[in-house]
Amino acid sequence: MIDFFINKKTSKLLLVGIAVLTFLALLGLAALAVAIINVLANKLQFEVYTITFLALLGFSVVLSITVTVAFYIVAKKAQRLIDGLSRVSAGDYSAEITYGRGDIFSKVYKNFNMMTAELRSVKTLRDDFVHNFSHEIKTPLFSIQGFANLLLEGGLTREEEHKFLTIISEEAGRLGSLADSILLLSKLENQQLLGERAPLKLNSEITDCIIMLEREWDAKHIEINTDLAPVNMEGDGAMLRQVWINLLSNAIKFTPDGGKIDVSLKKEGGNAVIKFKDSGCGIAPGETAKIFEKYYRSPSVKNTEGNGLGLAICKRICTLAGGSIEVRSEEGRGSEFIVTLPI
Ligand code: ADP
């Protein structure tokens, strides 16, 4: 049935049919009206009878033309939607319908455009994910496969078996966190806003993250100094926590044993300014812009654990929160990451 309306030929046939039927129906009505007038007022003169008949005939013609034109306009507008839907069903998500302000179909077109925009972002998300995931998982997977094969061949000492199983377990864990990071970044890149905003005590949030990572900084005998002013704001606490944890983990990771990390939070104008300053290896001047790119890792830190996604995630979250992140660093002396968020 739907096909009948979608088909261009049959919809034209339908248009002609509607025009003829409307005209006939109105003509019938006109004749009936005239007959009734005639019966009710049988003393009516011939001229009045003719004028009434002609007036009703004219009215029928005008009305049937109006109905036909209205149907034609609606059919044309529906055809644009049908064409758009055909493109989408063929996998072309770039379809968009342009429309004017007073367009009677504007709401439908607007929803259609929103739907294709959403489909485009899901497609990008999927393509990105497939590309990055397949590229980045190869190394840990090869490693897992290699050590599993060695274990299968047998003839290993208990120590060797334990060592290889530990590597397999670590590599599997790394794969898991890589998948989480890729998924999170792909999701963030395809959204324009962060999640629900809720009241946050920023100083408590940062303190919680420092406590959460205590095992790591304590194991390296790193001294942590905090200067956190009480700052309340509204925001997506879970996402911002990703920023604090990433920046703190990096500071711990790139600071040698016995080093120092200063964490501060201040209100400056309408902003919260959060600084993570470490006494670590620092970053070469030519690299400070690159470290926020996906998968970039300084060649000098290749032997430390990581996937090069942490800072890209931080940057995206700060941008989505309407803020910014920057770095100041001196190679061999330490780095300072500064996050600015509107309160
Ligand atoms: P990862 O830490 O997993 O390598 P990130 O995206 O968090 O990935 O960081 C990218 C790179 O930026 C790191 O590999 C390192 O070269 C540099 N970097 C980040 N934080 C620091 C820091 N606090 N000190 C020195 N270098 C850093």
Side-chain angles (χ1 to χ4, degrees):
M1 183 69 178
I2 285 178
D3 278 355
F4 179 79
F5 290 100
I6 289 174
N7 188 306
K8 272 189 184 168
K9 250 191 202 165
T10 45
S11 73
K12 263 183 200 152
L13 216 74
L14 202 70
L15 192 68
V16 174
I18 284 182
V20 171
L21 280 178
T22 317
F23 181 71
L24 287 177
L26 289 171
L27 206 60
L29 271 177
L32 190 68
V34 169
I36 291 168
I37 290 169
N38 197 26
V39 170
L40 289 177
N42 48 8
K43 282 185 190 153
L44 231 57
Q45 289 173 7
F46 180 74
E47 286 79 20
V48 177
Y49 179 85
T50 313
I51 289 166
T52 313
F53 179 76
L54 286 176
L56 285 169
L57 185 70
F59 174 70
S60 305
V61 172
V62 169
L63 204 64
S64 55
I65 289 173
T66 311
V67 169
T68 311
V69 168
F71 179 80
Y72 177 76
I73 292 169
V74 170
K76 256 218 128 51
K77 290 195 176 289
Q79 190 58 49
R80 294 178 69 195
L81 191 66
I82 291 160
D83 289 345
L85 286 171
S86 307
R87 282 176 65 187
V88 171
S89 65
D92 176 6
Y93 302 147
S94 66
E96 263 196 27
I97 302 175
T98 43
Y99 55 91
R101 259 184 161 203
D103 201 312
I104 49 161
F105 268 41
S106 62
K107 247 189 173 162
V108 182
Y109 293 160
K110 191 175 162 202
N111 285 335
F112 175 86
N113 291 345
M114 273 161 63
M115 177 189 77
T116 51
E118 189 60 26
L119 284 170
R120 278 196 298 276
S121 86
V122 171
K123 187 176 179 300
T124 319
L125 189 88
R126 190 191 63 198
D127 293 351
D128 260 20
F129 180 73
V130 170
H131 175 262
N132 294 331
F133 196 72
S134 57
H135 184 256
E136 295 298 318
I137 60 163
K138 273 181 191 152
T139 322
L141 262 188
F142 280 150
S143 169
I144 290 174
Q145 193 183 28
F147 286 108
N149 284 342
L150 282 175
L151 284 164
L152 281 174
E153 281 168 16
L156 301 169
T157 63
R158 274 189 75 84
E159 287 73 41
E160 282 172 329
E161 276 181 3
H162 184 261
K163 190 176 155 200
F164 294 168
L165 282 170
T166 309
I167 294 173
I168 289 175
S169 165
E170 283 172 0
E171 290 294 315
R174 208 164 296 148
L175 262 184
S177 71
L178 175 66
D180 288 345
S181 298
I182 293 175
L183 260 181
L184 176 62
L185 190 57
S186 299
K187 193 170 146 261
L188 288 169
E189 280 176 341
N190 283 282
Q191 64 191 66
Q192 306 308 318
L193 288 170
L194 287 178
E196 232 168 81
R197 292 166 70 87
L200 300 172
K201 282 187 187 340
L202 217 47
N203 42 317
S204 317
E205 293 277 325
I206 295 170
T207 309
D208 289 350
C209 294
I210 296 174
I211 296 168
M212 203 155 77
L213 295 173
E214 185 172 358
R215 232 166 58 140
E216 274 106 287
W217 52 263
D218 195 42
K220 288 181 85 175
H221 310 103
I222 290 172
E223 181 190 320
I224 300 230
N225 301 310
T226 56
D227 176 14
L228 306 171
V231 175
N232 295 332
M233 65 175 281
E234 286 217 334
D236 184 338
M239 281 300 145
L240 290 175
R241 223 167 294 137
Q242 297 268 354
V243 177
W244 319 137
I245 290 177
N246 271 328
L247 294 179
L248 263 173
S249 304
N250 278 351
I252 298 167
K253 190 161 63 174
F254 298 115
T255 299
D257 256 54
K260 200 170 76 127
I261 297 173
D262 297 327
V263 186
S264 71
L265 164 63
K266 282 190 177 60
K267 224 185 220 178
E268 282 181 19
N271 294 320
V273 180
I274 308 101
K275 296 181 180 169
F276 295 84
K277 188 169 192 249
D278 64 59
S279 62
C281 61
I283 302 158
E287 286 183 288
T288 45
K290 292 187 198 158
I291 57 171
F292 294 101
E293 286 169 16
K294 278 194 273 187
Y295 300 110
Y296 183 82
R297 306 198 70 217
S298 166
S300 58
V301 304
K302 286 283 185 226
N303 54 344
T304 59
E305 207 173 289
N307 53 35
L309 289 176
L311 287 181
I313 290 174
C314 290
K315 187 168 178 156
R316 186 68 189 151
I317 293 173
C318 291
T319 307
L320 288 176
S324 64
I325 180 169
E326 57 179 298
V327 62
R328 290 181 199 142
S329 188
E330 225 181 299
E331 209 174 3
R333 300 203 61 178
S335 312
E336 184 176 34
F337 285 83
I338 303 148
V339 173
T340 307
L341 295 174
I343 298 175

